């Protein structure tokens, strides 16, 4: 049986816990695969790892990998922001590609730092037109198809972090879904894997995972591949929401989930996964 999370943050970026503490918790919770994914350096992101921290992060995860307890495989990943390049990509086992910022009219706006800053971006940058913002966002998501170093697409609909009550837009809005559909189709063609991400649930922003049910259906219809991640920033929530994700994937119709074997991703029967 497989219990996997490849989206994990530590004290090296904006996570709460040390690498060894997270490994211990993963063992206690019965994980078979644990992947770390520190935020790659981006000068405008205070929560990203500096080059110096990145070096130490690599050393610590590699050491943990060598000392991994029986039954647990540990991998070294990185979460790449769309605004920043990855230096020495060969140092990492896999890359998560995420869009945390948008550049519009010469200014860079954070998407998920706070609701106040999201509102500022919407008002100042997009004159309160959520459709234009969403179009820009999904174009940025789509551009990740062109990056051969990215294997996993992080939190596909991050612009919905503060949209649980659908204040900004309806999840089934046809125009916004059309932007997402184009991006999803291009990413599927490029062989990218989409994560189901329960991070916003653990932190109290959403009651359901990224991506929304509507987007999951589009991924399924496009024959896209998915895996389940928790985007963990606190070891106590290392497997938070995984059962919800697993049940939802089955409900949509997915028969397989992707498993990382250290070099490549393999499609495994969804019944082989447990939480």
């Amino acid at each position: 049986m497989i219990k996997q999370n490849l989206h994990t943050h530590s004290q090296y970026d904006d996570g709460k816990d040390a690498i060894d503490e997270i490994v211990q918790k993963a063992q206690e919770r019965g994980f078979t695969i644990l992947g770390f994914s520190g935020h790659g350096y981006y000068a405008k992101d205070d929560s990203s790892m500096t080059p110096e921290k990145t070096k130490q992060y690599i050393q610590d995860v590699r050491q943990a990998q060598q000392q991994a307890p029986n039954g647990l495989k540990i991998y070294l990943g990185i979460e790449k922001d769309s605004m920043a390049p990855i230096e020495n990509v060969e140092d990492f086992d896999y890359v998560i590609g995420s869009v945390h910022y948008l550049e519009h009219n010469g200014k860079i706006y954070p998407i998920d730092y706070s609701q106040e800053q999201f509102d500022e971006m919407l008002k100042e940058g997009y004159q309160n037109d959520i459709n234009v913002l969403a179009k820009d966002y999904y174009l940025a998501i789509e551009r990740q198809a062109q990056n051969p170093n990215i294997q996993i697409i992080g939190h596909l609909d991050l612009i919905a972090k503060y949209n649980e009550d659908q204040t900004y837009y309806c999840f089934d809005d046809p125009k916004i879904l059309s932007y997402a559909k184009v991006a999803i189709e291009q990413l599927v063609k490029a062989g990218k894997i989409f994560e189901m991400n329960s991070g916003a649930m653990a932190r109290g922003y959403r009651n359901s995972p990224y991506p929304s049910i509507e987007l999951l259906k589009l991924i399924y219809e496009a024959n896209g591949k998915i895996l389940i991640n928790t985007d963990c920033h606190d070891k106590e929530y290392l497997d938070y929401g995984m059962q919800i994700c697993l049940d939802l994937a089955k409900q949509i119709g997915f028969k397989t989930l992707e498993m990382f074997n250290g070099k490549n991703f393999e499609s495994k029967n969804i019944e082989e996964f447990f939480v």
Side-chain angles (χ1 to χ4, degrees), residues 142 145 178 180-191 194 218 222:
E142 181 183 345
S178 71
K181 185 174 187 291
V182 172
I184 287 168
E185 289 173 347
Q186 292 304 310
L187 291 163
V188 170
K189 287 180 183 178
F194 301 87
L218 291 179

Side-chain angles (χ1 to χ4, degrees), residues 139-154:
L139 282 172
I141 291 285
E142 181 183 345
R143 283 194 288 272
Q144 294 182 109
Q146 302 167 16
N147 190 328
N149 295 320
I150 293 172
Q151 291 87 36
I152 301 169
I153 302 301

Side-chain angles (χ1 to χ4, degrees), residues 120-166:
E120 178 185 343
M121 171 177 62
L122 180 59
K123 180 179 179 180
E124 177 187 295
Y126 291 91
Q127 291 73 53
N128 287 318
D129 192 334
I130 191 64
N131 286 298
V132 179
L133 190 159
K135 185 175 183 180
D136 272 6
Y137 174 77
Y138 282 112
L139 282 172
I141 291 285
E142 181 183 345
R143 283 194 288 272
Q144 294 182 109
Q146 302 167 16
N147 190 328
N149 295 320
I150 293 172
Q151 291 87 36
I152 301 169
I153 302 301
H155 32 62
L156 180 65
D157 54 343
L158 189 62
I159 57 167
K161 179 176 179 178
Y162 309 111
N163 194 49
E164 182 64 28
D165 59 1
Q166 303 188 64

Side-chain angles (χ1 to χ4, degrees), residues 1 14 17 32 78 121 130 134 137 145 151 154 176 179 187 206 227 237 251 261 266:
M1 298 294 286
D14 57 347
D17 308 298
T32 59
I78 192 164
M121 171 177 62
I130 191 64
Y137 174 77
Q151 291 87 36
I176 292 178
Y179 304 146
L187 291 163
R206 289 179 59 147
L227 50 72
Y237 299 102
Q251 176 187 325
N261 64 17
E266 303 177 33

Side-chain angles (χ1 to χ4, degrees), residues 50-260:
T50 63
E52 294 75 21
K53 283 188 175 181
T54 302
K55 291 178 182 179
Q56 190 61 51
Y57 163 75
I58 292 171
Q59 291 177 14
D60 276 13
V61 176
R62 288 302 186 201
Q63 182 177 6
Q65 194 173 41
Q66 294 172 3
Q67 300 173 350
N70 289 338
L72 179 62
K73 298 290 186 182
I74 296 173
Y75 298 116
L76 172 64
I78 192 164
E79 185 176 10
K80 175 202 175 298
D81 187 82
S82 59
M83 292 285 189
I86 306 174
E87 296 184 0
N88 304 319
V89 67
E90 66 278 359
D91 289 339
F92 304 99
D93 298 326
Y94 63 91
V95 177
I96 298 174
S98 297
V99 177
H100 293 106
Y101 295 86
L102 285 177
E103 183 174 6
H104 190 69
N105 292 334
K107 184 172 179 178
I108 295 174
Y109 298 94
I111 294 169
D112 67 327
Y113 187 82
S114 71
Q115 187 166 4
E116 290 73 22
Q117 291 196 342
F118 184 88
D119 287 341
E120 178 185 343
M121 171 177 62
L122 180 59
K123 180 179 179 180
E124 177 187 295
Y126 291 91
Q127 291 73 53
N128 287 318
D129 192 334
I130 191 64
N131 286 298
V132 179
L133 190 159
K135 185 175 183 180
D136 272 6
Y137 174 77
Y138 282 112
L139 282 172
I141 291 285
E142 181 183 345
R143 283 194 288 272
Q144 294 182 109
Q146 302 167 16
N147 190 328
N149 295 320
I150 293 172
Q151 291 87 36
I152 301 169
I153 302 301
H155 32 62
L156 180 65
D157 54 343
L158 189 62
I159 57 167
K161 179 176 179 178
Y162 309 111
N163 194 49
E164 182 64 28
D165 59 1
Q166 303 188 64
T167 296
Y168 297 98
Y169 66 92
C170 294
F171 287 114
D172 61 355
D173 182 294
K175 185 173 289 188
I176 292 178
L177 286 179
S178 71
Y179 304 146
K181 185 174 187 291
V182 172
I184 287 168
E185 289 173 347
Q186 292 304 310
L187 291 163
V188 170
K189 287 180 183 178
K192 307 305 182 187
I193 300 164
F194 301 87
E195 69 169 11
M196 294 184 71
N197 177 323
S198 62
M201 297 170 62
R203 292 184 283 282
Y205 293 105
R206 289 179 59 147
N207 295 322
S208 57
Y210 302 113
S212 67
I213 291 176
E214 291 79 6
L215 294 182
L216 272 176
K217 289 178 179 178
L218 291 179
I219 294 169
Y220 178 75
E221 291 166 2
N223 295 316
K225 297 179 179 181
I226 63 169
L227 50 72
I228 294 172
N229 283 334
T230 62
D231 196 352
C232 178
H233 287 70
D234 180 334
K235 66 181 187 296
E236 297 302 325
Y237 299 102
L238 190 58
D239 54 2
Y240 189 92
M242 293 183 75
Q243 186 67 60
I244 293 173
C245 291
L246 189 60
D247 291 344
L248 185 55
K250 291 178 181 179
Q251 176 187 325
I252 297 297
F254 287 97
K255 303 300 183 186
T256 60
L257 295 175
E258 297 305 298
M259 185 199 78
F260 188 58

